[in-house]
Amino acid sequence: MLTVTISPKYQVVIPKELREALHLLPGEKLQVFRYQNRIEFVMIRDIKKMRGFLKGIDTQIERDEDRT
């Protein structure tokens, strides 16, 4: 488990291991919100850069008998 420290200016450094795994770059934006009793960071990605990220996903959905 990785640990970070809150600086006197309330800043945290995202560990290099996570930055590299998530391909984070300086200047990128993250959405921050509170969920239950924790802090969540969600990457904000340009919609044009997301093209094809679902390629290969299984789109088969099992439907109820009355919905087919």
Side-chain angles (χ1 to χ4, degrees):
M1 179 182 294
L2 300 172
T3 304
V4 297
T5 303
I6 300 174
S7 77
K9 292 184 177 183
Y10 297 95
Q11 297 171 329
V12 295
V13 174
I14 300 170
K16 184 178 180 181
E17 180 181 322
L18 288 177
R19 292 191 313 261
E20 290 176 349
L22 297 172
H23 307 290
L24 294 175
L25 299 172
E28 286 189 316
K29 300 209 179 274
L30 300 174
Q31 192 174 33
V32 182
F33 59 94
R34 179 180 169 194
Y35 178 74
Q36 295 180 354
N37 197 26
R38 63 182 185 236
I39 299 171
E40 298 271 342
F41 292 87
V42 177
M43 294 177 287
I44 299 173
R45 297 287 191 200
D46 182 18
I47 194 71
K48 290 180 182 178
K49 291 181 181 177
M50 294 182 71
R51 182 176 182 177
F53 86 103
L54 293 176
K55 187 175 183 176
I57 192 171
D58 182 12
T59 58
Q60 296 298 320
I61 299 172
E62 292 186 30
R63 299 209 177 244
D64 295 333
E65 287 291 326
D66 62 336
R67 299 267 181 177
T68 57

Coordinates of all heavy atoms in Angstrom, one line a residue:
M1 N 0.9 -1.2 0.0 CA 0.0 0.0 0.0 C 0.9 1.2 0.0 O 1.9 1.3 0.7 CB -0.9 0.0 1.2 CG -1.8 1.2 1.3 SD -2.8 1.3 2.7 CE -3.9 -0.1 2.5
L2 N 0.6 2.2 -0.8 CA 1.3 3.4 -0.9 C 0.7 4.5 0.1 O -0.5 4.5 0.3 CB 1.2 4.0 -2.3 CG 1.8 3.1 -3.4 CD1 1.5 3.6 -4.8 CD2 3.3 2.9 -3.3
T3 N 1.6 5.3 0.6 CA 1.2 6.3 1.5 C 1.7 7.6 1.1 O 2.8 7.8 0.5 CB 1.8 6.0 2.9 OG1 1.4 4.7 3.3 CG2 1.4 7.0 4.0
V4 N 0.9 8.7 1.2 CA 1.3 10.0 0.9 C 1.1 10.9 2.1 O 0.4 10.5 3.0 CB 0.5 10.6 -0.3 CG1 0.8 9.8 -1.6 CG2 -1.0 10.7 0.0
T5 N 1.8 12.0 2.1 CA 1.7 13.0 3.2 C 1.1 14.3 2.8 O 1.5 14.8 1.7 CB 3.1 13.2 3.8 OG1 3.7 12.0 4.2 CG2 3.1 14.2 5.0
I6 N 0.2 14.9 3.5 CA -0.3 16.2 3.2 C 0.7 17.2 3.6 O 1.1 17.3 4.8 CB -1.7 16.4 3.9 CG1 -2.7 15.3 3.5 CG2 -2.2 17.8 3.6 CD1 -4.0 15.3 4.2
S7 N 1.0 18.1 2.7 CA 2.0 19.2 3.0 C 1.3 20.3 3.7 O 0.1 20.3 3.9 CB 2.6 19.7 1.7 OG 1.6 20.6 1.0
P8 N 2.1 21.2 4.3 CA 1.5 22.4 5.0 C 0.5 23.2 4.1 O -0.4 23.9 4.6 CB 2.7 23.2 5.4 CG 3.8 22.3 5.5 CD 3.5 21.3 4.4
K9 N 0.7 23.1 2.7 CA -0.2 23.8 1.8 C -1.3 22.9 1.3 O -2.0 23.1 0.3 CB 0.6 24.3 0.6 CG 1.6 25.4 0.9 CD 2.2 25.8 -0.4 CE 3.1 27.0 -0.1 NZ 3.7 27.5 -1.4
Y10 N -1.5 21.7 2.0 CA -2.6 20.8 1.7 C -2.4 20.1 0.4 O -3.3 19.8 -0.3 CB -4.0 21.4 1.9 CG -4.3 21.8 3.3 CD1 -4.1 23.1 3.7 CD2 -4.7 20.9 4.2 CE1 -4.3 23.5 5.0 CE2 -4.9 21.3 5.5 CZ -4.7 22.6 5.9 OH -4.9 23.0 7.2
Q11 N -1.1 19.9 0.0 CA -0.8 19.3 -1.3 C -0.4 17.8 -1.0 O 0.2 17.6 0.0 CB 0.3 20.0 -2.1 CG -0.1 21.4 -2.4 CD 1.0 22.2 -3.0 OE1 2.2 22.0 -2.6 NE2 0.7 23.1 -3.9
V12 N -0.6 17.0 -2.0 CA -0.1 15.6 -1.9 C 0.6 15.3 -3.2 O 0.3 15.9 -4.3 CB -1.2 14.5 -1.7 CG1 -1.9 14.7 -0.3 CG2 -2.2 14.6 -2.8
V13 N 1.6 14.4 -3.2 CA 2.3 14.0 -4.4 C 1.8 12.6 -4.7 O 1.8 11.7 -3.9 CB 3.8 14.0 -4.1 CG1 4.6 13.4 -5.3 CG2 4.3 15.4 -3.8
I14 N 1.4 12.4 -6.0 CA 1.0 11.1 -6.4 C 2.3 10.3 -6.7 O 3.1 10.7 -7.5 CB 0.2 11.2 -7.7 CG1 -1.1 12.0 -7.4 CG2 -0.2 9.8 -8.2 CD1 -1.9 12.4 -8.7
P15 N 2.4 9.1 -6.0 CA 3.6 8.4 -6.2 C 3.9 8.0 -7.7 O 3.0 7.8 -8.5 CB 3.3 7.1 -5.4 CG 2.3 7.5 -4.4 CD 1.5 8.5 -5.1
K16 N 5.2 8.0 -8.0 CA 5.7 7.7 -9.3 C 5.1 6.4 -9.9 O 4.7 6.4 -11.1 CB 7.2 7.6 -9.4 CG 7.8 7.4 -10.7 CD 9.3 7.4 -10.7 CE 9.8 7.3 -12.1 NZ 11.3 7.2 -12.1
E17 N 5.0 5.4 -9.1 CA 4.4 4.1 -9.5 C 3.0 4.3 -10.1 O 2.7 3.7 -11.1 CB 4.4 3.1 -8.3 CG 3.9 1.8 -8.6 CD 3.9 0.9 -7.3 OE1 4.9 1.0 -6.6 OE2 2.9 0.2 -7.1
L18 N 2.2 5.1 -9.4 CA 0.8 5.3 -9.8 C 0.8 6.2 -11.1 O 0.0 6.0 -12.0 CB 0.0 5.9 -8.7 CG -0.4 5.0 -7.6 CD1 -1.2 5.7 -6.5 CD2 -1.2 3.8 -8.1
R19 N 1.6 7.3 -11.1 CA 1.7 8.2 -12.2 C 2.0 7.4 -13.5 O 1.4 7.7 -14.5 CB 2.7 9.3 -12.0 CG 2.4 10.3 -10.9 CD 3.3 11.5 -10.9 NE 4.7 11.2 -11.0 CZ 5.5 11.2 -10.0 NH1 5.1 11.4 -8.8 NH2 6.8 10.9 -10.2
E20 N 3.0 6.6 -13.4 CA 3.4 5.8 -14.6 C 2.3 4.8 -15.0 O 2.0 4.6 -16.2 CB 4.7 5.1 -14.3 CG 5.9 6.1 -14.3 CD 7.2 5.4 -13.9 OE1 7.2 4.2 -13.5 OE2 8.2 6.1 -14.0
A21 N 1.7 4.1 -14.0 CA 0.7 3.1 -14.3 C -0.5 3.7 -15.0 O -1.2 3.1 -15.8 CB 0.3 2.3 -13.1
L22 N -0.9 5.0 -14.6 CA -2.1 5.6 -15.1 C -1.7 6.6 -16.2 O -2.6 7.3 -16.7 CB -2.8 6.4 -13.9 CG -3.3 5.5 -12.8 CD1 -3.8 6.3 -11.7 CD2 -4.4 4.6 -13.4
H23 N -0.5 6.7 -16.6 CA 0.0 7.6 -17.6 C -0.4 9.0 -17.4 O -0.8 9.8 -18.2 CB -0.5 7.1 -19.0 CG -0.2 5.7 -19.3 ND1 1.0 5.2 -19.6 CD2 -1.0 4.6 -19.3 CE1 1.0 3.9 -19.8 NE2 -0.3 3.5 -19.6
L24 N -0.2 9.5 -16.1 CA -0.5 10.9 -15.7 C 0.7 11.8 -16.2 O 1.8 11.4 -16.0 CB -0.7 11.0 -14.2 CG -1.9 10.3 -13.7 CD1 -2.0 10.4 -12.2 CD2 -3.2 10.8 -14.3
L25 N 0.3 12.9 -16.6 CA 1.3 13.9 -17.1 C 1.1 15.2 -16.3 O 0.0 15.5 -15.9 CB 1.2 14.2 -18.6 CG 1.4 12.9 -19.5 CD1 1.1 13.3 -20.9 CD2 2.8 12.4 -19.3
P26 N 2.2 16.0 -16.2 CA 2.1 17.3 -15.5 C 1.0 18.2 -16.2 O 1.0 18.2 -17.5 CB 3.4 17.9 -15.6 CG 4.4 16.8 -15.8 CD 3.6 15.7 -16.6
G27 N 0.2 18.8 -15.5 CA -0.8 19.7 -16.1 C -2.2 19.1 -16.3 O -3.1 19.8 -16.6
E28 N -2.2 17.7 -16.2 CA -3.5 17.1 -16.4 C -4.4 17.4 -15.2 O -3.9 17.6 -14.1 CB -3.3 15.6 -16.6 CG -2.8 15.2 -17.9 CD -2.8 13.7 -18.2 OE1 -2.4 12.9 -17.2 OE2 -3.2 13.3 -19.3
K29 N -5.7 17.3 -15.5 CA -6.6 17.6 -14.4 C -7.3 16.4 -13.9 O -7.5 15.4 -14.6 CB -7.7 18.6 -15.0 CG -7.1 19.9 -15.5 CD -8.1 21.0 -15.4 CE -7.5 22.3 -15.9 NZ -6.8 23.0 -14.9
L30 N -7.6 16.4 -12.6 CA -8.2 15.4 -11.9 C -9.5 15.9 -11.2 O -9.4 17.0 -10.7 CB -7.4 14.7 -10.8 CG -6.0 14.1 -11.3 CD1 -5.2 13.6 -10.1 CD2 -6.3 12.9 -12.2
Q31 N -10.6 15.2 -11.3 CA -11.8 15.6 -10.6 C -11.6 15.0 -9.1 O -11.3 13.9 -9.0 CB -13.0 15.1 -11.3 CG -14.3 15.7 -10.8 CD -15.4 15.2 -11.7 OE1 -15.4 14.1 -12.2 NE2 -16.4 16.1 -11.8
V32 N -11.9 15.8 -8.1 CA -11.8 15.4 -6.8 C -13.1 15.5 -6.1 O -13.8 16.5 -6.2 CB -10.8 16.3 -6.0 CG1 -10.6 15.8 -4.6 CG2 -9.4 16.3 -6.7
F33 N -13.5 14.4 -5.4 CA -14.8 14.5 -4.7 C -14.7 13.6 -3.5 O -13.9 12.7 -3.4 CB -16.0 14.2 -5.5 CG -15.9 12.8 -6.2 CD1 -16.6 11.7 -5.6 CD2 -15.3 12.6 -7.4 CE1 -16.5 10.5 -6.2 CE2 -15.2 11.4 -8.0 CZ -15.9 10.3 -7.4
R34 N -15.6 13.8 -2.6 CA -15.8 13.0 -1.4 C -16.8 11.9 -1.6 O -17.9 12.2 -2.1 CB -16.2 13.9 -0.2 CG -16.4 13.1 1.1 CD -16.8 14.0 2.2 NE -17.2 13.3 3.3 CZ -17.9 13.7 4.3 NH1 -18.3 15.0 4.3 NH2 -18.2 13.0 5.4
Y35 N -16.4 10.7 -1.3 CA -17.3 9.5 -1.5 C -17.3 8.8 -0.2 O -16.2 8.3 0.2 CB -16.9 8.6 -2.6 CG -17.8 7.4 -2.8 CD1 -19.1 7.6 -3.3 CD2 -17.4 6.2 -2.4 CE1 -19.9 6.5 -3.4 CE2 -18.2 5.1 -2.5 CZ -19.4 5.2 -3.1 OH -20.3 4.1 -3.2
Q36 N -18.4 8.7 0.5 CA -18.5 8.1 1.8 C -17.5 8.8 2.7 O -17.6 10.0 2.9 CB -18.4 6.6 1.8 CG -19.6 6.0 1.0 CD -19.5 4.5 0.9 OE1 -18.6 3.9 1.3 NE2 -20.6 3.9 0.4
N37 N -16.5 8.1 3.2 CA -15.5 8.7 4.1 C -14.1 8.7 3.5 O -13.2 8.4 4.2 CB -15.6 8.0 5.5 CG -14.9 8.8 6.5 OD1 -14.9 10.0 6.4 ND2 -14.4 8.2 7.6
R38 N -14.1 8.9 2.2 CA -12.7 9.0 1.6 C -12.7 10.0 0.4 O -13.7 10.5 0.0 CB -12.4 7.6 1.0 CG -13.4 7.1 -0.1 CD -13.0 5.7 -0.5 NE -13.8 5.3 -1.6 CZ -14.5 4.2 -1.6 NH1 -14.5 3.4 -0.6 NH2 -15.2 3.9 -2.7
I39 N -11.5 10.3 -0.1 CA -11.3 11.2 -1.1 C -11.1 10.4 -2.4 O -10.2 9.5 -2.4 CB -10.1 12.1 -0.9 CG1 -10.3 12.9 0.4 CG2 -9.8 13.0 -2.0 CD1 -9.1 13.7 0.9
E40 N -11.8 10.8 -3.5 CA -11.6 10.1 -4.8 C -11.1 11.1 -5.8 O -11.5 12.2 -5.8 CB -13.0 9.6 -5.3 CG -13.7 8.6 -4.4 CD -13.3 7.2 -4.7 OE1 -12.8 6.9 -5.8 OE2 -13.5 6.3 -3.8
F41 N -10.1 10.6 -6.6 CA -9.6 11.4 -7.7 C -10.0 10.6 -9.0 O -9.7 9.4 -9.1 CB -8.1 11.4 -7.6 CG -7.5 12.3 -6.5 CD1 -7.3 11.7 -5.3 CD2 -7.2 13.6 -6.7 CE1 -6.8 12.4 -4.2 CE2 -6.7 14.3 -5.6 CZ -6.5 13.8 -4.4
V42 N -10.6 11.4 -9.9 CA -11.0 10.8 -11.2 C -10.3 11.6 -12.3 O -10.4 12.8 -12.4 CB -12.5 10.8 -11.4 CG1 -12.9 10.2 -12.7 CG2 -13.2 10.0 -10.3
M43 N -9.6 10.9 -13.2 CA -8.9 11.5 -14.3 C -10.0 12.1 -15.3 O -11.0 11.5 -15.6 CB -8.1 10.5 -15.1 CG -6.9 10.0 -14.2 SD -5.9 8.8 -15.1 CE -7.0 7.4 -15.0
I44 N -9.7 13.3 -15.7 CA -10.5 14.0 -16.7 C -9.8 13.8 -18.0 O -8.7 14.3 -18.2 CB -10.7 15.5 -16.4 CG1 -11.5 15.6 -15.1 CG2 -11.5 16.2 -17.5 CD1 -11.6 17.1 -14.6
R45 N -10.3 13.1 -18.9 CA -9.7 12.8 -20.2 C -10.4 13.5 -21.3 O -11.6 13.6 -21.3 CB -9.7 11.3 -20.5 CG -8.9 10.5 -19.5 CD -7.4 10.7 -19.7 NE -6.7 9.7 -18.9 CZ -5.4 9.9 -18.6 NH1 -4.8 11.0 -18.9 NH2 -4.8 9.0 -17.8
D46 N -9.7 14.0 -22.3 CA -10.2 14.6 -23.5 C -11.0 13.5 -24.3 O -10.5 12.5 -24.5 CB -9.1 15.2 -24.4 CG -9.6 15.9 -25.6 OD1 -10.8 16.2 -25.7 OD2 -8.8 16.1 -26.5
I47 N -12.2 13.8 -24.7 CA -13.0 12.9 -25.3 C -12.4 12.3 -26.6 O -12.5 11.2 -27.0 CB -14.5 13.4 -25.6 CG1 -15.4 12.3 -26.0 CG2 -14.4 14.5 -26.7 CD1 -15.8 11.4 -24.8
K48 N -11.6 13.2 -27.3 CA -11.0 12.8 -28.5 C -9.9 11.7 -28.3 O -9.7 10.8 -29.1 CB -10.4 14.0 -29.3 CG -11.4 14.9 -29.8 CD -10.8 16.1 -30.5 CE -11.9 17.0 -31.1 NZ -11.3 18.2 -31.7
K49 N -9.2 11.8 -27.1 CA -8.2 10.9 -26.8 C -8.8 9.5 -26.3 O -8.1 8.5 -26.2 CB -7.3 11.4 -25.7 CG -6.4 12.6 -26.1 CD -5.6 13.1 -25.0 CE -4.7 14.3 -25.5 NZ -3.9 14.8 -24.4
M50 N -10.0 9.5 -26.0 CA -10.7 8.3 -25.5 C -11.2 7.4 -26.6 O -11.7 6.3 -26.4 CB -11.8 8.7 -24.5 CG -11.3 9.3 -23.3 SD -12.5 9.7 -22.1 CE -13.0 8.0 -21.5
R51 N -11.1 7.9 -27.8 CA -11.6 7.1 -29.0 C -11.0 5.7 -29.0 O -9.7 5.6 -28.9 CB -11.3 7.8 -30.2 CG -11.8 7.1 -31.4 CD -11.6 7.8 -32.7 NE -12.2 7.1 -33.8 CZ -12.3 7.5 -35.0 NH1 -11.8 8.7 -35.3 NH2 -12.8 6.7 -35.9
G52 N -11.8 4.7 -29.0 CA -11.3 3.3 -29.1 C -11.0 2.7 -27.8 O -10.5 1.5 -27.7
F53 N -11.1 3.3 -26.6 CA -10.7 2.8 -25.4 C -11.6 1.6 -25.0 O -11.2 0.8 -24.1 CB -10.6 3.8 -24.2 CG -11.9 4.1 -23.5 CD1 -12.2 3.6 -22.3 CD2 -12.9 4.9 -24.1 CE1 -13.3 3.8 -21.6 CE2 -14.0 5.2 -23.4 CZ -14.3 4.7 -22.2
L54 N -12.8 1.4 -25.6 CA -13.7 0.3 -25.3 C -13.6 -0.8 -26.4 O -14.3 -1.7 -26.3 CB -15.1 0.8 -25.2 CG -15.4 1.7 -24.0 CD1 -16.9 2.2 -24.0 CD2 -15.1 1.0 -22.7
K55 N -12.6 -0.6 -27.3 CA -12.5 -1.6 -28.3 C -12.3 -3.0 -27.7 O -11.5 -3.2 -26.8 CB -11.2 -1.3 -29.2 CG -11.1 -2.1 -30.4 CD -10.0 -1.6 -31.2 CE -9.9 -2.5 -32.5 NZ -8.8 -2.0 -33.4
G56 N -13.1 -3.9 -28.2 CA -13.0 -5.3 -27.8 C -13.9 -5.7 -26.6 O -13.9 -6.8 -26.2
I57 N -14.6 -4.7 -26.1 CA -15.5 -5.0 -25.0 C -16.7 -5.9 -25.4 O -17.1 -5.8 -26.5 CB -16.0 -3.6 -24.4 CG1 -16.7 -3.9 -23.0 CG2 -17.0 -2.9 -25.3 CD1 -17.0 -2.6 -22.2
D58 N -17.1 -6.7 -24.5 CA -18.2 -7.6 -24.8 C -19.5 -6.9 -24.7 O -19.8 -6.3 -23.7 CB -18.2 -8.8 -23.8 CG -19.3 -9.8 -24.1 OD1 -19.9 -9.7 -25.2 OD2 -19.5 -10.7 -23.3
T59 N -20.2 -6.8 -25.8 CA -21.4 -6.0 -25.9 C -22.7 -6.9 -25.8 O -23.8 -6.4 -25.9 CB -21.5 -5.1 -27.1 OG1 -21.4 -6.0 -28.3 CG2 -20.4 -4.1 -27.2
Q60 N -22.5 -8.2 -25.6 CA -23.6 -9.1 -25.5 C -24.3 -8.9 -24.1 O -23.6 -9.0 -23.1 CB -23.2 -10.5 -25.6 CG -22.6 -10.8 -27.0 CD -23.6 -10.6 -28.1 OE1 -24.8 -11.0 -28.0 NE2 -23.2 -10.1 -29.2
I61 N -25.6 -8.7 -24.1 CA -26.3 -8.5 -22.9 C -27.4 -9.6 -22.8 O -28.2 -9.8 -23.8 CB -27.0 -7.1 -22.9 CG1 -25.9 -6.0 -22.9 CG2 -27.8 -6.9 -21.6 CD1 -26.5 -4.6 -23.1
E62 N -27.5 -10.2 -21.7 CA -28.5 -11.2 -21.5 C -29.8 -10.4 -21.1 O -29.8 -9.6 -20.2 CB -28.2 -12.2 -20.4 CG -27.1 -13.1 -20.7 CD -26.8 -14.1 -19.6 OE1 -27.8 -14.5 -19.0 OE2 -25.7 -14.6 -19.5
R63 N -30.9 -10.7 -21.9 CA -32.1 -10.0 -21.7 C -33.1 -10.9 -21.1 O -33.1 -12.1 -21.3 CB -32.6 -9.5 -23.0 CG -31.7 -8.5 -23.6 CD -32.5 -7.5 -24.4 NE -31.6 -6.5 -25.0 CZ -31.6 -5.2 -24.7 NH1 -32.5 -4.8 -23.8 NH2 -30.8 -4.4 -25.3
D64 N -34.1 -10.3 -20.3 CA -35.2 -11.1 -19.8 C -36.0 -11.6 -20.9 O -36.1 -11.0 -22.0 CB -36.0 -10.2 -18.9 CG -35.3 -9.8 -17.6 OD1 -34.4 -10.5 -17.2 OD2 -35.7 -8.7 -17.1
E65 N -36.7 -12.7 -20.7 CA -37.6 -13.4 -21.8 C -38.5 -12.4 -22.4 O -38.8 -12.4 -23.6 CB -38.3 -14.5 -21.2 CG -37.5 -15.7 -20.9 CD -37.0 -16.4 -22.2 OE1 -37.7 -16.4 -23.2 OE2 -35.8 -16.9 -22.1
D66 N -39.1 -11.5 -21.6 CA -40.2 -10.6 -22.1 C -39.5 -9.4 -22.8 O -40.2 -8.6 -23.4 CB -41.1 -10.1 -21.0 CG -40.3 -9.3 -19.9 OD1 -39.1 -9.6 -19.8 OD2 -41.0 -8.6 -19.2
R67 N -38.2 -9.3 -22.9 CA -37.6 -8.2 -23.5 C -36.9 -8.5 -24.8 O -36.3 -7.7 -25.5 CB -36.5 -7.6 -22.6 CG -37.0 -7.1 -21.3 CD -37.3 -5.7 -21.4 NE -37.7 -5.1 -20.2 CZ -38.0 -3.9 -20.0 NH1 -37.8 -3.0 -21.0 NH2 -38.5 -3.5 -18.9
T68 N -37.0 -9.8 -25.3 CA -36.3 -10.2 -26.5 C -37.2 -10.0 -27.7 O -38.3 -9.7 -27.7 CB -35.9 -11.7 -26.4 OG1 -37.0 -12.5 -26.2 CG2 -34.8 -11.8 -25.4

